Amino acid sequence: MKKRPLSRRDFLKLAGVGTAIVVPGALGYGVFRSAQGEYPVEGSPYVENLLTEPLDGSVPILLIVNGDSPNPFGLYLGEILRAEGINCFHITDLSTVQAGSLEKYDIAILAETPLSAAQAEMFEAFVARGGRFVGMRPDSRLAPIFGWERSDGTLSEGYIKTESSHPAGEGIDPSTLQFHGAADLYQLAGAQTVAWLYTDRDTASEYPAAALNEFGAGMTVAFAFDLAKSIALMRQGNPELANQDVDGLNGVRTVDMFKGWIDLERIEIPQADEQQRLFVNLLSQLSRGKRPLPRLWYFPEDKKSVLIATGDSHSNPQPFIEQALEIVEKYGGHMTVYYSPQIVSDVGRAVRVTRFWLTDHVPVVSTVLGEEFGSPTPFVVEGWRARGHDIALHPYADAGLEQWLVYWKEFTGRGYGPVSETVRTHRVLWTGWMETARLQASYGIRMNFDYYHVGPSLQKPNGEWPNGHLIGSGRPMRFIDEQGRILNLYQQHTHFADEHLIPMDVPGWGGWPQLSAQEAVEVVKDLLNRSVKQSDFSALGGQFHIDPFQLGGDPAEKATVFLDGSLAYAAELGVPIWSAQEWLEFTERRHEADFKDVTWDANASSLTLSLIPRHEADSTLTVLIPAAHTDKAISALSVDGVTTPHSARLVLGNVEYVQVIVSTQAHTVKADYA
Ligand SMILES: [Zn+2]
């Protein structure tokens, strides 16, 4: 698809052929050349160098993965830990683990892998001497340390139900929750059941899904299934449905991979997030008598949610984009407009860019051209960005992923570049299980809003239209591919979309649940309430198309009510309304910050640690320090040697935390317990 750029000679030839080129000709070859646009610079889509060196035990947790395991999802456990804010772990490969390095850590987490007898002995000895150990669908050689005995058979694509009476079950939704992949069946032999396996939504089995055990001087936790694989499949969809159009909505989209995969009776629950929280509850249990686990809060400051305001725009003229942005600004928010420029020839674009130039530089011309020519000029786009909004690319992929190049060229050729780092694809078309994600990551895109609640497949058999968490989550996490490679691209769900909820006379629009605009606002209010008041703690992606504003009349009225009503309620709850770019930047800052040198002075009951961000930034991160540890309560707190109040509290799962808001710079935090 890539074409050789036009040379100066080509340009001069063209300049002679007709009047269309006269004006750009007057501005010169430079304008003409830049109007041809650019193609993305391709790089590796993968996150490299995730393993830690040296293994010095300066953080409490060691994650052990096996690059040769038949289950390739081990590294995703690291993504889960960071999504949960447990940024205090090292990662190593099983082949290099030795007893000496293992001993330096409080808690070792072993990804699903077969073990040799010698490896199993090493882990057993670690636990016997007081180590804390977590196994994901562990090798049955380790059954004795987990306090269970292997039974024949497995249970696949079932459910788990947390024991609410167990301390690790505190703060976890007691409903049955889906898991994907296979669970091994075990009989208890001394362990405490934390969660049970269910064969379906309503039928209990006699087998544990997760169990806690004391062995020797140590403690263990085992999951009968692999949480990493289960959550990757829950979030990213069923690989067996890749490239299939099965959802009754024309086109192969992300949502196709969730047909028969998401239990619509459970879509209101962030099932993946709940199970991750259970995992962290168990880590907190294991940390008793060891170093307390510091954590980073999910959101900015003390917020309980973020609403990410986005709107797809299909070549809509400038005034209609402006209309939406002004509503967003009423509530102090910012918006990302995913913009599809109309594709034109190089010559046509040069003419257009020249008109842009005249409009931006010779104001009287804009009134002459304004009527027939409404695309935003680069000057207007720059102005929107200066107001904190984002104009990003909304590429078509109906003719294949190669179309990305056409849209990239058009967008940059018009002078709208550089292309932003977040994206939503037109019609959320999707190729392969992770092929689209790999392509986006290779083009430098770092957050994707293509997972999207839309279409007739999301109706329950009883006729209801549930809303919530198609991917089981309100958290951004990086993608993992079939081979277990982490992609440098965050997946953020779009939880609600006008085109799904509200019928309008707009081409390609669904409106299946037949809601009025006000009823659609109630859907958003419910999601916000669950996040802020019921501990769902979700970042909610919203789709507010620009197109209805251009159509005017009934569509414009409905779009206004939906956007205004949704944002008004977010503002009322104190939920920040952010552009996708702002959310990406916060997400990366939080993900990349590390806790280091976490030390616990047992005699003084004193915790010290450093927080080291990857880059300093004019923003904040919220550090969570356990308010109590090993039967003592926090009595004093300091940041960089300065005494700090420790009264701001937040309960997350089974832990009460002290909440400390710090600038995105290196800090030392000290907490004394008494
Ligand atoms: Zn679109």
Side-chain angles (χ1 to χ4, degrees):
M1 293 289 284
K2 284 190 190 182
K3 285 186 192 156
R4 180 177 65 90
L6 285 177
S7 67
R8 179 174 290 274
R9 181 183 297 262
D10 295 332
F11 165 72
L12 291 172
K13 260 195 277 178
L14 269 171
V17 298
T19 51
I21 202 72
V22 168
V23 179
L27 282 172
Y29 176 71
V31 166
F32 189 79
R33 177 68 190 82
S34 72
Q36 290 179 56
E38 296 162 7
Y39 291 115
V41 177
E42 282 185 58
S44 166
Y46 308 115
V47 180
E48 316 282 355
N49 303 322
L50 282 166
L51 302 189
T52 312
E53 192 66 49
L55 298 179
D56 60 7
S58 59
V59 291
I61 298 173
L62 180 63
L63 169 59
I64 303 162
V65 299
N66 178 3
D68 297 324
S69 172
N71 174 344
F73 292 101
L75 280 173
Y76 202 62
L77 289 168
E79 300 302 303
I80 290 173
L81 289 170
R82 287 197 183 262
E84 289 302 317
I86 306 290
N87 296 19
C88 52
F89 63 96
H90 289 163
I91 309 182
T92 195
D93 194 87
L94 177 64
S95 59
T96 60
V97 177
Q98 292 177 343
S101 45
L102 199 54
E103 298 292 339
K104 295 175 185 165
Y105 294 87
D106 301 339
I107 302 172
I109 302 171
L110 180 64
E112 182 183 351
T113 176
L115 293 176
S116 69
Q119 288 164 335
E121 272 173 36
M122 175 178 68
F123 292 128
E124 182 172 327
F126 169 67
V127 177
R129 285 196 296 272
R132 312 296 161 88
F133 190 78
V134 181
M136 290 296 166
R137 203 185 174 199
D139 190 306
S140 55
R141 288 177 196 271
L142 291 176
I145 70 169
F146 292 120
W148 64 10
E149 284 168 7
R150 185 80 166 91
S151 295
D152 288 339
T154 58
L155 195 165
S156 293
E157 299 299 315
Y159 290 72
I160 79 165
K161 186 179 187 334
T162 301
E163 270 290 352
S164 297
S165 59
H166 194 282
E170 273 176 45
I172 307 301
D173 194 305
S175 312
T176 50
L177 304 174
Q178 292 179 271
F179 73 89
H180 295 295
D184 290 331
L185 305 183
Y186 283 90
Q187 299 280 357
L188 293 172
Q192 309 157 26
T193 299
V194 175
W196 294 97
L197 290 174
Y198 272 56
T199 53
D200 59 39
R201 197 193 306 132
D202 304 310
T203 312
S205 81
E206 58 186 296
Y207 304 106
L212 183 74
N213 190 43
E214 291 179 14
F215 179 85
M219 286 170 77
T220 63
V221 164
F223 280 77
F225 61 103
D226 176 28
L227 186 71
K229 179 178 182 177
S230 176
I231 287 181
L233 295 179
M234 186 177 288
R235 293 180 62 101
Q236 297 179 192
N238 182 356
E240 290 178 11
L241 290 177
N243 296 321
Q244 294 188 46
D245 188 1
V246 294
D247 70 334
L249 183 58
N250 185 33
V252 178
R253 307 172 193 237
T254 47
V255 66
D256 282 296
M257 296 189 289
F258 293 85
K259 168 114 174 152
W261 195 243
I262 171 74
D263 177 350
L264 296 176
E265 295 295 334
R266 290 292 179 266
I267 197 168
E268 290 178 4
I269 303 169
Q271 299 184 83
D273 299 347
E274 290 288 336
Q275 291 181 56
Q276 291 185 177
R277 195 178 301 163
L278 172 64
F279 176 46
V280 178
N281 274 1
L282 286 161
L283 295 178
S284 299
Q285 296 264 116
L286 294 184
S287 74
R288 284 182 64 85
K290 301 281 186 177
R291 285 172 277 189
L293 296 178
R295 195 166 183 181
L296 287 171
W297 175 233
Y298 302 127
F299 301 111
E301 297 158 1
D302 59 352
K303 303 302 182 189
K304 305 291 188 288
S305 174
V306 167
L307 194 156
I308 305 135
T310 70
D312 295 352
S313 171
H314 306 87
S315 318
N316 302 116
Q318 164 194 337
F320 306 106
I321 298 175
E322 182 64 38
Q323 229 177 304
L325 297 183
E326 282 174 10
I327 294 173
V328 175
E329 286 176 351
K330 258 175 41 182
Y331 300 103
H334 298 137
M335 183 176 195
T336 291
V337 175
Y338 289 115
Y339 187 78
S340 295
Q342 192 193 337
I343 303 298
V344 297
S345 68
D346 282 348
V347 172
R349 194 177 318 109
V351 172
R352 183 159 295 197
V353 166
T354 304
R355 285 169 159 180
F356 286 162
W357 189 91
L358 289 169
T359 307
D360 285 348
H361 294 85
V362 192
V364 68
V365 176
S366 65
T367 50
V368 178
L369 297 176
E371 283 298 299
E372 60 165 327
F373 205 75
S375 293
T377 68
F379 184 71
V380 166
V381 168
E382 201 181 302
W384 287 336
R385 287 188 177 136
R387 280 153 60 186
H389 305 293
D390 189 29
I391 308 302
L393 189 56
H394 183 53
Y396 283 49
D398 304 60
L401 287 170
E402 300 79 17
Q403 255 182 306
W404 264 80
L405 300 179
V406 176
Y407 278 84
W408 196 288
K409 177 180 163 71
E410 185 68 41
F411 193 87
T412 54
R414 285 165 173 245
Y416 298 163
V419 174
S420 297
E421 294 158 331
T422 74
V423 80
R424 187 183 296 113
T425 308
H426 179 56
R427 300 172 67 214
V428 294
L429 297 181
W430 195 257
T431 303
W433 189 55
M434 283 301 112
E435 197 177 329
T436 294
R438 267 194 297 269
L439 177 108
Q440 293 177 354
S442 74
Y443 288 171
I445 302 294
R446 299 214 302 279
M447 186 177 272
N448 161 299
F449 286 76
D450 285 339
Y451 283 72
Y452 187 90
H453 188 111
V454 69
S457 69
L458 298 174
Q459 184 177 30
K460 289 189 201 174
N462 69 5
E464 288 173 8
W465 292 92
N467 291 287
H469 302 277
L470 178 71
I471 69 165
S473 179
R475 306 275 157 66
M477 280 176 65
R478 294 192 291 205
F479 286 96
I480 186 166
D481 75 1
E482 303 83 342
Q483 296 174 51
R485 296 172 296 197
I486 304 293
L487 302 185
N488 196 13
L489 177 73
Y490 289 89
Q491 176 199 29
Q492 167 66 50
H493 185 220
T494 303
H495 292 78
F496 54 88
D498 47 11
E499 67 171 301
H500 176 75
L501 297 169
I502 313 167
M504 288 188 208
D505 191 12
V506 178
W509 211 263
W512 294 272
Q514 297 285 322
L515 301 187
S516 69
Q518 191 52 48
E519 286 166 339
V521 170
E522 297 302 320
V523 168
V524 177
K525 286 168 76 169
D526 183 52
L527 286 166
L528 284 164
N529 283 335
R530 286 193 60 115
S531 185
V532 173
K533 299 175 181 172
Q534 294 171 47
S535 304
D536 272 5
F537 303 134
S538 298
L540 299 171
Q543 160 76 293
F544 307 95
H545 277 90
I546 304 297
D547 308 72
F549 290 97
Q550 182 178 0
L551 291 166
D554 177 66
E557 264 173 47
K558 286 176 171 168
T560 303
V561 169
F562 183 51
L563 178 59
D564 197 291
S566 299
L567 300 194
Y569 193 68
E572 189 183 321
L573 291 181
V575 171
I577 299 159
W578 277 7
S579 72
Q581 184 67 28
E582 286 174 292
W583 180 233
L584 167 65
E585 287 172 11
F586 174 82
T587 297
E588 289 199 319
R589 280 197 300 273
R590 174 182 176 273
H591 185 100
E592 291 172 348
D594 284 316
F595 291 114
K596 289 190 171 163
D597 301 321
V598 179
T599 59
W600 172 247
D601 180 337
N603 294 324
S605 292
S606 179
L607 168 74
T608 55
L609 57 89
S610 299
L611 174 70
I612 311 290
R614 177 81 55 91
H615 306 288
E616 293 195 352
D618 183 17
S619 65
T620 62
L621 291 169
T622 303
V623 176
L624 303 179
I625 304 288
H629 188 62
T630 315
D631 304 325
K632 290 184 173 173
I634 202 161
S635 57
L637 183 73
S638 70
V639 177
D640 303 324
V642 177
T643 302
T644 306
H646 51 86
S647 51
R649 302 294 170 100
L650 187 146
V651 175
L652 187 50
N654 62 354
V655 181
E656 186 188 35
Y657 292 98
V658 171
Q659 186 179 285
V660 195
I661 300 172
V662 298
S663 60
T664 309
Q665 291 166 317
H667 295 286
T668 303
V669 179
K670 183 168 184 286
D672 295 319
Y673 294 79

